Amino acid sequence: MPELASDSVGVVAPQTAHFDDPLALACGKTLPSYTLVYETYGTLNADGTNAVLICHALSGHHHAAGRHHQDDRKPGWWDAHIGPGKSIDTNRFFVVSLNNLGGCHGSTGPLSINPETGRPWGPDFPMMTVSDWVHSQARLADRLGIERFAAVVGGSLGGMQVMQWALDYPERIAHAAVIAATPRLSAQNIAFNEVARQAIRSDPDFHDGWYGEHGTLPRRGLKLARMVGHITYLSETAMGSKFGRDLRQDLGYGYEVEFQVESYLRHQGDTFSESFDANTYLLMTKALDYFDPAAPHGGDLAAALAPAQCPFLVVSFSTDWRFPPWRSRELVDALVRADKPVSYANIDSPHGHDAFLLPEPRYQAVFAGFMARVARDQQLEGS
């Protein structure tokens, strides 16, 4: 049986929290009850000042670090950054990572049973917003005895949740790390999301979202949606260096897989279509589209950020064309105008948007430095 690395959080098990208090949602509907699946790493200190919340991106989930069994081949999605001695040092911090509402990895979502009908929610599951997720996360924090997070951290869609935390619960967040995110999607980003949704919705096996009751899955549509999305997560440089124009086989002058990049994208799509729920994908992309905290303030992002009380770290990546550096600087400039403390780093990386998931040395140095500051500010032992 292989030994786990000394900087791993080790073997972890998901936990479940059920809530019977109804949750009013931004769409006007109410969830009468719901369940959140989460994992924790490290130990909550006696005064509860060392908790860090990890917010996941579109296809993420609660399993952020460690492994689910000793010979598990795949660690959590942010294992490079969470563990003893890593950027989010579990010798200092108590880390909470959950699967958001509407997800398909255990938390209440379209695959769950609707208590009013006794059948899976399916497409009837109410529309989610970033604010809805943050309110449910705050309830989980209450359940865990966490009055205030030392830091709330997230990349991409997770970074949007961090921003929302600073606005909805400014007194409950001591530091914020917004990584590879944007204060609102561009029209081009919304367009990419719509193409992905239409790929799913036009699949004959989608059945208006009731594919479960028909014993089908919209695999083709979800595969295409993932392929489109995956292209936007990588940079041209990353794709070129990884695949170039390399052939998988000799040219056949047809439509079969011939180039390595074609094979890679099809594999990514096939794998994703077997592991992710189509209705969840639709919900998550719409939550991305809806996020725009400046909208109620006439588009003035600085005014929207007025409630925030904590210092921010904002990180972008040079080749991220999905959420490019200028969108992060837009957030930084608004924080400066709002007189909020902020540090900013644009990391030179060839990996595009996916760089936020990877162990880039300069990224790790910046992130680790920020988390060391969090530990000092919270007066945590060993800092």
Side-chain angles (χ1 to χ4, degrees):
M1 192 174 292
E3 288 189 13
L4 297 177
S6 61
D7 61 355
S8 170
V9 298
V11 175
V12 298
Q15 303 175 62
T16 300
H18 183 75
F19 299 84
D20 287 319
D21 294 336
L23 181 67
L25 304 173
C27 68
K29 297 182 179 179
T30 298
L31 271 183
S33 62
Y34 58 94
T35 295
L36 294 175
V37 171
Y38 66 99
E39 291 180 0
T40 65
Y41 322 112
T43 303
L44 186 64
N45 61 13
D47 51 5
T49 58
N50 70 331
V52 174
L53 177 66
I54 307 298
C55 302
H56 69 70
L58 189 154
S59 60
H61 44 67
H62 54 279
H63 185 40
R67 299 174 190 263
H68 281 158
H69 48 81
Q70 189 74 23
D71 56 352
D72 193 348
R73 295 178 60 188
K74 189 173 182 180
W77 58 269
W78 228 20
D79 192 75
H81 298 283
I82 302 171
K86 295 180 181 177
S87 298
I88 304 177
D89 187 349
T90 49
N91 290 327
R92 292 175 173 176
F93 296 110
F94 175 69
V95 182
V96 180
S97 176
L98 76 159
N99 181 215
N100 282 337
L101 284 173
C104 55
H105 293 92
S107 292
T108 298
L111 295 175
S112 306
I113 298 299
N114 180 345
E116 295 182 359
T117 65
R119 62 194 272 206
W121 278 97
D124 284 346
F125 193 81
M127 201 62 74
M128 291 282 112
T129 67
V130 170
S131 187
D132 296 328
W133 289 333
V134 168
H135 294 323
S136 68
Q137 292 162 5
R139 289 189 180 183
L140 178 61
D142 293 339
R143 181 73 59 88
L144 297 176
I146 300 168
E147 294 184 5
R148 188 172 189 242
F149 282 106
V152 180
V153 179
S156 192
L157 179 55
M160 295 178 176
Q161 294 166 63
V162 176
M163 290 181 239
Q164 196 69 51
W165 259 96
L167 304 183
D168 288 349
Y169 297 97
E171 73 288 349
R172 299 192 65 172
I173 170 175
H175 302 82
V178 179
I179 304 169
T182 175
R184 65 176 181 174
L185 290 194
S186 65
Q188 184 185 51
N189 268 297
I190 294 172
F192 278 125
N193 285 343
E194 176 60 8
V195 170
R197 286 191 294 267
Q198 286 304 313
I200 293 170
R201 293 173 61 85
S202 61
D203 188 320
D205 288 330
F206 182 65
H207 294 291
D208 293 324
W210 295 109
Y211 42 87
E213 295 192 353
H214 287 80
T216 64
L217 288 173
R219 290 183 178 89
R220 287 166 292 181
L222 194 53
K223 173 181 176 178
L224 289 172
R226 183 59 171 180
M227 289 171 70
V228 168
H230 206 73
I231 291 169
T232 70
Y233 303 148
L234 300 177
S235 69
E236 183 178 5
T237 301
M239 273 200 167
S241 62
K242 191 169 185 176
F243 305 109
R245 290 181 52 84
D246 292 347
L247 290 166
R248 184 170 175 263
Q249 58 190 30
D250 291 337
L251 281 174
Y253 297 99
Y255 297 107
E256 297 304 315
V257 174
E258 295 176 314
F259 292 93
Q260 292 287 1
V261 68
E262 293 175 319
S263 176
Y264 171 77
L265 285 174
R266 293 193 190 192
H267 172 73
Q268 292 293 324
D270 286 335
T271 301
F272 189 75
S273 68
E274 296 293 337
S275 63
F276 207 81
D277 178 56
N279 282 320
T280 289
Y281 196 91
L282 300 178
L283 281 170
M284 295 288 181
T285 57
K286 288 302 288 188
L288 272 165
D289 293 353
Y290 291 142
F291 183 74
D292 185 3
H297 301 270
D300 187 340
L301 185 57
L305 292 167
Q309 300 174 10
C310 65
F312 282 74
L313 169 68
V314 178
V315 177
S316 60
F317 297 92
S318 59
T319 56
D320 182 354
W321 61 279
R322 187 78 194 254
F323 295 158
W326 73 267
R327 300 306 308 275
S328 292
R329 291 194 292 271
E330 179 184 355
L331 172 61
V332 172
D333 291 345
L335 285 164
V336 170
R337 293 199 307 274
D339 198 26
K340 309 298 178 184
V342 56
S343 301
Y344 171 59
N346 181 41
I347 307 299
D348 188 15
S349 165
H351 298 297
H353 185 60
D354 271 358
F356 85 91
L357 297 167
L358 303 174
E360 296 271 356
R362 185 163 176 256
Y363 170 31
Q364 287 181 305
V366 168
F367 194 12
F370 179 77
M371 293 308 299
R373 175 188 170 181
V374 173
R376 289 193 300 271
D377 289 352
Q378 299 301 110
Q379 300 181 333
L380 302 182
E381 187 176 344
S383 60

